[in-house]
Structures are given as C-alpha cells and as structure tokens.
Amino acid sequence: MRPSSLVVVANRLPVDDSVAPDGACEWRRSPGGLVSALHPLLRHKPAAWVGWAGGIGDAPALADIDGVRMRAVALSAEDVRDHYEGFANATLWPLFHDSVEQPSYHRRWWEGYQRVNRRFAEAAAEVAEPGAVVWVQDYHLQLVPGMLRELRPDVRIGFFLHVPFPPPELFMQLPRRAELLTGMLGADLIGFQRAQAAHNFAQLAAKLLDLPATDQRIVVGDRVVRVGAFPVSIDMAEMEALARRPDVVERARRWRGDLGDPQRVILSVDRMDYTKGIEQRLKAYSELLASGQVKVRDTVMVQVAVRSRERVGQYQILRERVEREVGRINGEFGRVGEPAIHYLNHPFDRAELAALYRVADIMAVTPLRDGMNLVAKEYVAARVDGDGVLVLSEFAGTAAEFTRAFLVNPHDLEGLKQTLTQALRATPADATDRMRAMRDHLRTHDIRHWAHLYLTALDDTGSLAARLTTG
Ligand code: ADP
Ligand code: F6P
C-alpha cells in the first residue's frame, strides 16, 4: 500500500468485509458516532484508514473507497473476545460511562488489549509516509499513540476520545490505569468532547504519573502534550440535503400515514446500549399511557434500537429486557392496528434516517451518559422547516451546545415524564424559536469546524486542516 500523509486509525473501518467479496465496495456506514463523524470528512481526501473490517481471521484486501485507502487489521477470535468484547466494551465502556453497568476486570483481556493495540500501531506505522499526521480514535486504541511513537518518532500523532473520560475516582478503579494514561500521552494532542474530560485527564496525569499538568498542557520528559475539548459534530449540509430530497419527503409522508396519521410522533434512535437510557424512557412513556396523560390514538412512539455488540452479556440482557417491556406496553395499551410503540432493531440507510427525523414531532434523546450523541444533531439538521422539538439528556455532550433543547435528567422518572409532556404541549412559536437557535449553532459548529479546530491544533502549519476541510 502506498504511504499516506494522513492516516486515521479507528477500531472500525467504515465498511465490513461482507460487502467486499470482489474488492469492490461502497461506503457502508456502520451505525455509530465515529464513522458518522469521519466519513463525510475523509471522502475524496488523500488519506488512509486503518481499522477492523468486523470479521475474524485474515484481513481482507479492500479497494480504495472514494479515494481513501482502506487498510484492514486482522483479528483472531481471541483478539475479538479479549479486546473488542472484553477490555474495550466490558471494561472501558461501562467505566467511562459513569459505571452505569458494572465494569469487569480480567487480566487476559488486558493482554488482548495490548496485543491488538500493537497490531494497529504497526499497521499505522506501515502506511504513514515520513512526517505524516496519524489521527488515532477512541477508547479501543488508547495505547496506540505510545506504541506508534516508539515505532515512528517522525510522525505527528493526534488522539481523540469520542466517549466521556471519567472523573478520577472512577478511573482509579482500573487495574492498568497508569499504562493506559501513558499510552495516550504518546500523542502530541489529546482531544476530548468536553472541557471537564480534559480536566479529569490532567488531574490523573498529575496524580498517577506525577507529571506537571494543566488542563491545556502536560509535560512528558522533553515533550509537551496538548490537551483540549473539541466537541465532535455532523455534516449538517449532507443531512439537510437528504431531508429535502423529494423521495425522502414522500417517504416521510407515507410513513406518517402508516403510523395512523397521529397528532404527535415521538421518535428515539439509539444503538441498543445500556448507556442510552432506553429502559428509563420506556418506563416513563408507559406511566404516561397508564395515567392517561398520553393516549395511543393521538400519540405514537417509534423506538429504533439497532442491534449492537450482541456477544457482550450486558447487551444481550438489555435487548431481552427492552423487547419484553415493549411487548408488555403494546399488550397493555395497544389497540387493534394501533401499537403504542413501534419498535425496530435493524440498521437504516441515511435517507431512511432522514425520513424518520422528518416524521418526528418530538425527538427523545435521553442517554444516562453519552460522549456527544450525534443523533440529536442529525435530528436538528434534518428539521429543514424549522419545526420539531428535541428532548435531550443533560448527560449527553450535546447538551452543552443545545441549551435550548428541553433538557432533562433521565434518572429522574417524574422529571422525564414532565419534560415529555411539556414537549408534547410546546407551542409552535416556542418550538420554532428553540429549533432556530439550535440550527444556527449547528451551522457554525459542524463536522468541518471540528476537524479544522482539531487539526489546526495538531498541525501548526495549518496545511492539513485546510486540505481536509475545504471541498
Ligand atoms: P454512538 O456513537 O454511541 O453510537 P451517536 O448518537 O453519537 O452514538 O451516533 C450514532 C450514529 O449511528 C448516528 O450517526 C446514527 O445516525 C447512526 N445510527 C443509529 N441508529 C441507526 C440505525 N438503526 N441504522 C443506521 N444508523 C444508525
Ligand atoms: O464512540 C462510540 C463508539 O464506540 C464508536 O467508536 C463506534 O462508532 C460506535 O460507538 C459503535 O460501536 P461499535 O463499533 O462497537 O459497533
């Protein structure tokens, strides 16, 4: 593979090997914030993407996609078990999300995490041209910056964490906490979603590694590692264009009819993940139905919960519980031809998502904790007519930007019910006013703004940022 001047390293490639039997593939967006953020940015840019194609065994040879080189990393069944399902998604994921589920600690998983991180670092070292910028993404690969620096001291290394970075008292639980921090500190710039996360990280670097640290700079030997908040975003123009497409408008109209032309449609779109607050939301909705504050004939709820990380025990349990609860609610409150909740657990393409967002009078995004939450931003982008109401958890990174949403604490069941009721009763003038403020914010803080801020901070010549964020 020819070397590249920009290399993105992420656990997942934006394609999986099932779509590329003959090497010919198209961008197939996997559900998840990381791919949604990076995909529109890299298209037609001179970059390479190092990642896992989702299968087990040999890495498939993938053709370039829209000019971006794909370098798949091979993972064995043990690697997937110990790294992806184990240390990444059963240790770090719950720990970094306020331990809303109990993190598990296993020494074998840590070995797998190190092994797989080394393989990603070697692959990145192989495809980076001399002096390249290598941009490492997310919690699966926190050791890669340090490993890569040893292999390739000539490259400039960025690291961006898409998920929250926890407060010290939680992070301190992690058995291999110092090694994890040291791995991240191999980067020249460490980006977080929120300033609080950067603060948590700096505090830990001082406490655990005894390094001189402020929320902006950490001194590691003769290097200065910069730290900061760079809230990730979406391609607003892409979502707006989709939402305006005649076939999308027509599909939204048809779907509304299929839903029985109710007065109000409430929508939620999540990965099936315990951080997303799906069970709490269902409980609140069920109580609103039971009390008669919401009536099935007037209001319909659509819950999309795309299957995710299905081999991890906590995810299997969640799916069973959610599906049982949806069945119970429909059994109790549905009528013939009128279910109280329409539940869908499969992937949608972008145009279908845009149509769903257009159908939704109210979008309920109520995670218990979320690094950012791009679904909320996609909804706002898709409301090209300037209407629609967003109910948003205070514990999503997005809440720091969308202060005009109906903000809610999803742990507070009564508060959740009240906020949903307020959203259902919002006057058109209030809704439009709030939506206008959120759309104005998003327009100036879209994905190119994010990339520009981050890459200018990483590459002080500014040339990389200019190349990536124009056109
Ligand atoms: P996370 O990164 O935790 O998955 P985000 O809300 O930041 O959460 O990002 C989720 C992304 O996945 C969004 O871009 C959303 O459009 C996409 N997505 C969610 N559900 C589906 C689905 N059923 N089909 C396709 N894409 C989905
Ligand atoms: O940041 C959240 C995240 O872990 C992303 O890295 C990823 O895009 C998304 O969730 C989906 O997760 P997975 O890759 O495990 O399907």
Side-chain angles (χ1 to χ4, degrees):
M1 186 185 250
R2 289 192 318 280
S4 297
S5 59
L6 172 67
V7 179
V8 163
V9 191
N11 182 59
R12 244 181 222 292
L13 287 173
V15 286
D16 61 56
D17 49 4
S18 62
V19 290
D22 59 354
C25 40
E26 295 177 342
W27 285 106
R28 190 176 100 163
R29 301 255 288 246
S30 44
L34 189 152
V35 170
S36 293
L38 291 171
H39 160 254
L41 210 59
L42 293 185
R43 209 168 17 197
H44 304 302
K45 302 294 188 316
W49 186 316
V50 174
W52 175 47
I56 284 174
D58 293 343
L62 298 173
D64 294 3
I65 298 170
D66 289 345
V68 180
R69 287 171 213 148
M70 295 289 127
R71 165 68 160 84
V73 174
L75 296 187
S76 67
E78 291 70 37
D79 293 333
V80 174
R81 183 193 64 201
D82 297 343
H83 171 261
Y84 175 70
E85 293 162 3
F87 199 79
N89 283 317
T91 303
L92 294 177
W93 180 267
L95 182 69
F96 283 19
H97 289 85
D98 287 353
S99 287
V100 293
E101 285 284 343
Q102 179 62 35
S104 302
Y105 302 109
H106 295 292
R107 284 165 289 184
R108 201 184 55 210
W109 289 357
W110 170 249
E111 281 159 27
Y113 189 78
Q114 289 175 290
R115 186 169 68 238
V116 170
N117 271 249
R118 182 157 303 284
R119 207 164 306 143
F120 273 81
E122 284 165 358
E126 213 180 279
V127 300
E129 72 178 28
V133 166
V134 181
W135 196 3
V136 183
Q137 311 286 323
D138 230 355
Y139 61 101
H140 317 82
L141 301 176
Q142 281 170 260
L143 301 178
V144 168
M147 292 171 167
L148 183 60
R149 181 164 293 282
E150 277 175 21
L151 293 169
R152 290 288 304 270
D154 61 298
V155 299
R156 202 149 182 78
I157 305 172
F159 179 81
F160 185 78
L161 189 70
H162 291 252
V163 300
F165 190 82
E169 53 281 17
L170 271 181
F171 189 83
M172 291 300 281
Q173 286 183 15
L174 193 65
R176 309 310 289 260
R177 56 203 186 186
E179 283 103 313
L180 209 74
L181 291 184
T182 307
M184 290 168 80
L185 285 165
D188 296 291
L189 174 67
I190 305 180
F192 296 95
Q193 301 278 24
R194 301 188 67 166
Q196 182 62 46
H199 176 69
N200 293 346
F201 182 79
Q203 275 194 311
L204 280 159
K207 183 181 165 98
L208 278 175
L209 304 177
D210 206 17
L211 296 174
T214 68
D215 291 3
Q216 289 83 36
R217 295 156 56 88
I218 301 176
V219 182
V220 185
D222 56 359
R223 292 189 305 121
V224 171
V225 177
R226 278 177 304 150
V227 176
F230 304 86
V232 75
S233 195
I234 60 155
D235 186 342
M236 182 174 187
E238 182 206 43
M239 183 48 81
E240 283 186 315
L242 270 178
R244 287 200 167 100
R245 247 170 50 183
D247 59 314
V248 169
V249 175
E250 171 53 23
R251 183 182 272 149
R253 197 194 56 75
R254 203 161 16 90
W255 278 352
R256 194 162 189 112
D258 294 345
L259 291 170
D261 261 325
Q263 287 170 19
R264 292 272 187 279
V265 175
I266 304 180
L267 171 70
S268 288
V269 175
D270 308 282
R271 273 185 310 101
M272 178 67 88
D273 195 300
Y274 49 80
T275 60
K276 303 290 183 185
I278 301 171
E279 288 187 277
Q280 290 75 0
R281 195 185 306 138
L282 290 178
K283 188 160 172 54
Y285 196 62
S286 155
E287 290 195 9
L288 288 174
L289 289 168
S291 66
Q293 285 165 281
V294 169
K295 298 205 168 33
V296 167
R297 105 176 57 85
D298 308 329
T299 305
V300 166
M301 179 167 188
V302 179
Q303 171 69 65
V304 176
V306 63
R307 296 184 293 262
S308 181
R309 305 174 190 167
E310 293 217 279
R311 284 159 48 93
V312 179
Q314 287 156 329
Y315 287 77
Q316 290 164 0
I317 295 170
L318 175 74
R319 181 169 166 198
E320 278 165 27
R321 290 168 57 138
V322 164
E323 294 187 348
R324 194 175 326 124
E325 185 60 5
V326 169
R328 185 193 69 76
I329 296 174
N330 279 336
E332 213 160 301
F333 302 106
R335 295 142 53 107
V336 174
E338 290 180 351
I341 299 182
H342 291 251
Y343 164 72
L344 304 150
N345 68 11
H346 48 84
F348 285 83
D349 67 31
R350 305 297 295 167
E352 289 173 323
L353 280 172
L356 272 176
Y357 295 141
R358 284 202 70 124
V359 173
D361 305 294
I362 290 133
M363 182 84 205
V365 179
T366 58
L368 305 177
R369 173 61 73 191
D370 212 329
M372 179 52 60
N373 197 290
L374 296 182
V375 165
K377 293 190 173 182
E378 289 169 357
Y379 176 68
V380 167
R383 301 306 296 188
V384 288
D385 297 334
D387 54 0
V389 176
L390 177 65
V391 173
L392 179 62
S393 165
E394 292 167 15
F395 299 102
T398 330
E401 299 178 70
F402 288 167
T403 51
R404 298 296 310 283
F406 282 85
L407 294 176
V408 65
N409 169 5
H411 300 273
D412 170 10
L413 192 60
E414 284 308 318
L416 192 49
K417 284 161 63 182
Q418 256 170 33
T419 312
L420 284 171
T421 314
Q422 278 167 9
L424 283 164
R425 293 188 186 143
T427 62
D430 184 29
T432 312
D433 194 39
R434 289 167 182 265
M435 186 52 78
R436 186 182 310 115
M438 293 188 283
R439 287 178 58 77
D440 286 350
H441 174 86
L442 191 56
R443 202 164 286 120
T444 49
H445 293 78
D446 78 344
I447 189 65
R448 284 179 188 79
H449 175 76
W450 173 70
H452 187 80
L453 278 186
Y454 186 90
L455 292 172
T456 326
L458 177 61
D459 162 40
D460 19 35
T461 66
S463 69
L464 184 66
R467 262 190 294 147
L468 260 191
T469 53
T470 51

PDB file of all heavy atoms in Angstrom, residues 11-12 31-35 84 89 93 138-140 162-163 271 308-309, ligand 2:
ATOM      1  N   ASN A  11     -10.946   1.679  15.502  1.00  0.00           N
ATOM      2  CA  ASN A  11     -11.226   0.252  15.628  1.00  0.00           C
ATOM      3  C   ASN A  11     -11.983  -0.272  14.415  1.00  0.00           C
ATOM      4  O   ASN A  11     -11.673  -1.321  13.890  1.00  0.00           O
ATOM      5  CB  ASN A  11     -12.017  -0.011  16.908  1.00  0.00           C
ATOM      6  CG  ASN A  11     -12.273  -1.485  17.093  1.00  0.00           C
ATOM      7  OD1 ASN A  11     -11.340  -2.270  17.174  1.00  0.00           O
ATOM      8  ND2 ASN A  11     -13.532  -1.884  17.103  1.00  0.00           N
ATOM      9  N   ARG A  12     -12.957   0.487  13.964  1.00  0.00           N
ATOM     10  CA  ARG A  12     -13.786   0.026  12.852  1.00  0.00           C
ATOM     11  C   ARG A  12     -13.447   0.737  11.551  1.00  0.00           C
ATOM     12  O   ARG A  12     -13.265   1.956  11.541  1.00  0.00           O
ATOM     13  CB  ARG A  12     -15.249   0.335  13.138  1.00  0.00           C
ATOM     14  CG  ARG A  12     -16.071  -0.885  13.264  1.00  0.00           C
ATOM     15  CD  ARG A  12     -17.507  -0.565  13.521  1.00  0.00           C
ATOM     16  NE  ARG A  12     -18.039  -1.454  14.524  1.00  0.00           N
ATOM     17  CZ  ARG A  12     -18.232  -2.750  14.345  1.00  0.00           C
ATOM     18  NH1 ARG A  12     -17.946  -3.327  13.200  1.00  0.00           N
ATOM     19  NH2 ARG A  12     -18.725  -3.486  15.311  1.00  0.00           N
ATOM     20  N   PRO A  31     -23.650   1.799  11.961  1.00  0.00           N
ATOM     21  CA  PRO A  31     -24.226   2.688  12.961  1.00  0.00           C
ATOM     22  C   PRO A  31     -23.183   3.013  14.012  1.00  0.00           C
ATOM     23  O   PRO A  31     -22.470   2.131  14.467  1.00  0.00           O
ATOM     24  CB  PRO A  31     -25.356   1.862  13.575  1.00  0.00           C
ATOM     25  CG  PRO A  31     -25.523   0.659  12.714  1.00  0.00           C
ATOM     26  CD  PRO A  31     -24.280   0.482  11.937  1.00  0.00           C
ATOM     27  N   GLY A  32     -23.080   4.241  14.394  1.00  0.00           N
ATOM     28  CA  GLY A  32     -22.091   4.615  15.399  1.00  0.00           C
ATOM     29  C   GLY A  32     -21.535   5.985  15.086  1.00  0.00           C
ATOM     30  O   GLY A  32     -21.370   6.356  13.919  1.00  0.00           O
ATOM     31  N   GLY A  33     -21.261   6.728  16.160  1.00  0.00           N
ATOM     32  CA  GLY A  33     -20.874   8.120  16.018  1.00  0.00           C
ATOM     33  C   GLY A  33     -19.561   8.321  15.279  1.00  0.00           C
ATOM     34  O   GLY A  33     -19.418   9.268  14.505  1.00  0.00           O
ATOM     35  N   LEU A  34     -18.613   7.426  15.502  1.00  0.00           N
ATOM     36  CA  LEU A  34     -17.282   7.647  14.939  1.00  0.00           C
ATOM     37  C   LEU A  34     -17.311   7.653  13.404  1.00  0.00           C
ATOM     38  O   LEU A  34     -16.809   8.578  12.771  1.00  0.00           O
ATOM     39  CB  LEU A  34     -16.361   6.553  15.476  1.00  0.00           C
ATOM     40  CG  LEU A  34     -14.882   6.697  15.193  1.00  0.00           C
ATOM     41  CD1 LEU A  34     -14.104   6.012  16.303  1.00  0.00           C
ATOM     42  CD2 LEU A  34     -14.478   6.108  13.870  1.00  0.00           C
ATOM     43  N   VAL A  35     -17.930   6.637  12.836  1.00  0.00           N
ATOM     44  CA  VAL A  35     -17.997   6.565  11.373  1.00  0.00           C
ATOM     45  C   VAL A  35     -18.830   7.733  10.836  1.00  0.00           C
ATOM     46  O   VAL A  35     -18.468   8.370   9.841  1.00  0.00           O
ATOM     47  CB  VAL A  35     -18.561   5.192  10.929  1.00  0.00           C
ATOM     48  CG1 VAL A  35     -18.872   5.190   9.446  1.00  0.00           C
ATOM     49  CG2 VAL A  35     -17.560   4.089  11.255  1.00  0.00           C
ATOM     50  N   TYR A  84     -12.104  -6.386  21.766  1.00  0.00           N
ATOM     51  CA  TYR A  84     -13.335  -5.655  21.433  1.00  0.00           C
ATOM     52  C   TYR A  84     -14.455  -5.926  22.439  1.00  0.00           C
ATOM     53  O   TYR A  84     -15.034  -5.008  23.029  1.00  0.00           O
ATOM     54  CB  TYR A  84     -13.770  -6.018  20.002  1.00  0.00           C
ATOM     55  CG  TYR A  84     -15.094  -5.416  19.591  1.00  0.00           C
ATOM     56  CD1 TYR A  84     -15.205  -4.044  19.373  1.00  0.00           C
ATOM     57  CD2 TYR A  84     -16.231  -6.210  19.428  1.00  0.00           C
ATOM     58  CE1 TYR A  84     -16.432  -3.479  19.012  1.00  0.00           C
ATOM     59  CE2 TYR A  84     -17.444  -5.653  19.067  1.00  0.00           C
ATOM     60  CZ  TYR A  84     -17.537  -4.292  18.863  1.00  0.00           C
ATOM     61  OH  TYR A  84     -18.744  -3.741  18.518  1.00  0.00           O
ATOM     62  N   ASN A  89     -15.186  -3.143  25.508  1.00  0.00           N
ATOM     63  CA  ASN A  89     -16.635  -2.950  25.685  1.00  0.00           C
ATOM     64  C   ASN A  89     -17.236  -3.535  26.961  1.00  0.00           C
ATOM     65  O   ASN A  89     -18.431  -3.344  27.216  1.00  0.00           O
ATOM     66  CB  ASN A  89     -17.368  -3.463  24.437  1.00  0.00           C
ATOM     67  CG  ASN A  89     -17.239  -2.457  23.305  1.00  0.00           C
ATOM     68  OD1 ASN A  89     -17.384  -1.243  23.530  1.00  0.00           O
ATOM     69  ND2 ASN A  89     -16.913  -2.920  22.117  1.00  0.00           N
ATOM     70  N   TRP A  93     -15.788   0.684  28.374  1.00  0.00           N
ATOM     71  CA  TRP A  93     -17.072   1.341  28.016  1.00  0.00           C
ATOM     72  C   TRP A  93     -17.926   1.626  29.255  1.00  0.00           C
ATOM     73  O   TRP A  93     -18.300   2.780  29.500  1.00  0.00           O
ATOM     74  CB  TRP A  93     -17.814   0.513  26.959  1.00  0.00           C
ATOM     75  CG  TRP A  93     -19.134   1.108  26.549  1.00  0.00           C
ATOM     76  CD1 TRP A  93     -20.353   0.822  27.090  1.00  0.00           C
ATOM     77  CD2 TRP A  93     -19.361   2.101  25.547  1.00  0.00           C
ATOM     78  NE1 TRP A  93     -21.338   1.579  26.489  1.00  0.00           N
ATOM     79  CE2 TRP A  93     -20.752   2.364  25.530  1.00  0.00           C
ATOM     80  CE3 TRP A  93     -18.544   2.795  24.649  1.00  0.00           C
ATOM     81  CZ2 TRP A  93     -21.333   3.291  24.655  1.00  0.00           C
ATOM     82  CZ3 TRP A  93     -19.125   3.714  23.778  1.00  0.00           C
ATOM     83  CH2 TRP A  93     -20.497   3.947  23.787  1.00  0.00           C
ATOM     84  N   ASP A 138     -10.508   7.018  19.656  1.00  0.00           N
ATOM     85  CA  ASP A 138     -11.387   6.352  20.625  1.00  0.00           C
ATOM     86  C   ASP A 138     -10.733   5.342  21.573  1.00  0.00           C
ATOM     87  O   ASP A 138      -9.576   4.994  21.474  1.00  0.00           O
ATOM     88  CB  ASP A 138     -12.583   5.731  19.890  1.00  0.00           C
ATOM     89  CG  ASP A 138     -13.899   6.131  20.572  1.00  0.00           C
ATOM     90  OD1 ASP A 138     -13.853   6.782  21.625  1.00  0.00           O
ATOM     91  OD2 ASP A 138     -14.969   5.772  20.054  1.00  0.00           O
ATOM     92  N   TYR A 139     -11.606   4.870  22.501  1.00  0.00           N
ATOM     93  CA  TYR A 139     -11.155   4.118  23.674  1.00  0.00           C
ATOM     94  C   TYR A 139     -10.606   2.739  23.362  1.00  0.00           C
ATOM     95  O   TYR A 139      -9.944   2.148  24.210  1.00  0.00           O
ATOM     96  CB  TYR A 139     -12.329   3.981  24.678  1.00  0.00           C
ATOM     97  CG  TYR A 139     -13.510   3.231  24.106  1.00  0.00           C
ATOM     98  CD1 TYR A 139     -13.739   1.901  24.410  1.00  0.00           C
ATOM     99  CD2 TYR A 139     -14.391   3.857  23.231  1.00  0.00           C
ATOM    100  CE1 TYR A 139     -14.820   1.205  23.872  1.00  0.00           C
ATOM    101  CE2 TYR A 139     -15.469   3.171  22.691  1.00  0.00           C
ATOM    102  CZ  TYR A 139     -15.673   1.850  23.011  1.00  0.00           C
ATOM    103  OH  TYR A 139     -16.736   1.185  22.462  1.00  0.00           O
ATOM    104  N   HIS A 140     -10.879   2.222  22.157  1.00  0.00           N
ATOM    105  CA  HIS A 140     -10.344   0.894  21.826  1.00  0.00           C
ATOM    106  C   HIS A 140      -8.827   0.948  21.651  1.00  0.00           C
ATOM    107  O   HIS A 140      -8.172  -0.078  21.710  1.00  0.00           O
ATOM    108  CB  HIS A 140     -10.912   0.388  20.495  1.00  0.00           C
ATOM    109  CG  HIS A 140     -12.375   0.604  20.301  1.00  0.00           C
ATOM    110  ND1 HIS A 140     -12.921   1.791  19.870  1.00  0.00           N
ATOM    111  CD2 HIS A 140     -13.416  -0.238  20.479  1.00  0.00           C
ATOM    112  CE1 HIS A 140     -14.235   1.671  19.784  1.00  0.00           C
ATOM    113  NE2 HIS A 140     -14.565   0.454  20.151  1.00  0.00           N
ATOM    114  N   HIS A 162     -13.906   9.738  21.702  1.00  0.00           N
ATOM    115  CA  HIS A 162     -15.307  10.064  21.371  1.00  0.00           C
ATOM    116  C   HIS A 162     -16.238   9.887  22.571  1.00  0.00           C
ATOM    117  O   HIS A 162     -17.353  10.386  22.565  1.00  0.00           O
ATOM    118  CB  HIS A 162     -15.795   9.176  20.219  1.00  0.00           C
ATOM    119  CG  HIS A 162     -15.136   9.493  18.909  1.00  0.00           C
ATOM    120  ND1 HIS A 162     -15.782  10.122  17.877  1.00  0.00           N
ATOM    121  CD2 HIS A 162     -13.865   9.299  18.468  1.00  0.00           C
ATOM    122  CE1 HIS A 162     -14.960  10.285  16.861  1.00  0.00           C
ATOM    123  NE2 HIS A 162     -13.779   9.777  17.191  1.00  0.00           N
ATOM    124  N   VAL A 163     -15.794   9.128  23.553  1.00  0.00           N
ATOM    125  CA  VAL A 163     -16.657   8.833  24.715  1.00  0.00           C
ATOM    126  C   VAL A 163     -16.240   9.727  25.876  1.00  0.00           C
ATOM    127  O   VAL A 163     -15.215  10.407  25.807  1.00  0.00           O
ATOM    128  CB  VAL A 163     -16.557   7.329  25.089  1.00  0.00           C
ATOM    129  CG1 VAL A 163     -16.998   6.461  23.915  1.00  0.00           C
ATOM    130  CG2 VAL A 163     -15.154   6.950  25.529  1.00  0.00           C
ATOM    131  N   ARG A 271     -28.266   3.127  19.336  1.00  0.00           N
ATOM    132  CA  ARG A 271     -27.759   1.756  19.344  1.00  0.00           C
ATOM    133  C   ARG A 271     -28.347   1.104  20.586  1.00  0.00           C
ATOM    134  O   ARG A 271     -28.610   1.790  21.584  1.00  0.00           O
ATOM    135  CB  ARG A 271     -26.227   1.726  19.455  1.00  0.00           C
ATOM    136  CG  ARG A 271     -25.496   1.805  18.132  1.00  0.00           C
ATOM    137  CD  ARG A 271     -23.996   1.662  18.293  1.00  0.00           C
ATOM    138  NE  ARG A 271     -23.465   2.539  19.312  1.00  0.00           N
ATOM    139  CZ  ARG A 271     -23.153   2.162  20.544  1.00  0.00           C
ATOM    140  NH1 ARG A 271     -23.297   0.896  20.924  1.00  0.00           N
ATOM    141  NH2 ARG A 271     -22.687   3.032  21.410  1.00  0.00           N
ATOM    142  N   SER A 308     -26.467  -4.068  18.678  1.00  0.00           N
ATOM    143  CA  SER A 308     -25.086  -3.632  18.862  1.00  0.00           C
ATOM    144  C   SER A 308     -24.367  -4.575  19.831  1.00  0.00           C
ATOM    145  O   SER A 308     -24.980  -5.047  20.787  1.00  0.00           O
ATOM    146  CB  SER A 308     -25.125  -2.200  19.437  1.00  0.00           C
ATOM    147  OG  SER A 308     -23.838  -1.690  19.627  1.00  0.00           O
ATOM    148  N   ARG A 309     -23.114  -4.880  19.568  1.00  0.00           N
ATOM    149  CA  ARG A 309     -22.233  -5.637  20.487  1.00  0.00           C
ATOM    150  C   ARG A 309     -22.950  -6.840  21.087  1.00  0.00           C
ATOM    151  O   ARG A 309     -22.958  -7.049  22.299  1.00  0.00           O
ATOM    152  CB  ARG A 309     -21.720  -4.699  21.580  1.00  0.00           C
ATOM    153  CG  ARG A 309     -21.041  -3.472  20.989  1.00  0.00           C
ATOM    154  CD  ARG A 309     -20.651  -2.441  22.001  1.00  0.00           C
ATOM    155  NE  ARG A 309     -20.235  -1.226  21.297  1.00  0.00           N
ATOM    156  CZ  ARG A 309     -20.060  -0.045  21.859  1.00  0.00           C
ATOM    157  NH1 ARG A 309     -20.226   0.094  23.153  1.00  0.00           N
ATOM    158  NH2 ARG A 309     -19.686   0.995  21.139  1.00  0.00           N
TER     159      ARG A 309
HETATM  160  O1  F6P B   2     -17.826   6.368  20.310  1.00  0.00           O
HETATM  161  C1  F6P B   2     -18.792   5.399  20.391  1.00  0.00           C
HETATM  162  C2  F6P B   2     -18.477   4.129  19.624  1.00  0.00           C
HETATM  163  O2  F6P B   2     -17.787   3.178  20.328  1.00  0.00           O
HETATM  164  C3  F6P B   2     -17.706   4.370  18.366  1.00  0.00           C
HETATM  165  O3  F6P B   2     -16.331   4.140  18.480  1.00  0.00           O
HETATM  166  C4  F6P B   2     -18.388   3.485  17.395  1.00  0.00           C
HETATM  167  O4  F6P B   2     -18.542   4.175  16.210  1.00  0.00           O
HETATM  168  C5  F6P B   2     -19.776   3.290  17.948  1.00  0.00           C
HETATM  169  O5  F6P B   2     -19.706   3.535  19.290  1.00  0.00           O
HETATM  170  C6  F6P B   2     -20.378   1.952  17.568  1.00  0.00           C
HETATM  171  O6  F6P B   2     -19.791   0.902  18.276  1.00  0.00           O
HETATM  172  P1  F6P B   2     -19.246  -0.436  17.655  1.00  0.00           P
HETATM  173  O7  F6P B   2     -18.075  -0.091  16.814  1.00  0.00           O
HETATM  174  O8  F6P B   2     -18.898  -1.268  18.838  1.00  0.00           O
HETATM  175  O9  F6P B   2     -20.344  -1.023  16.832  1.00  0.00           O
END
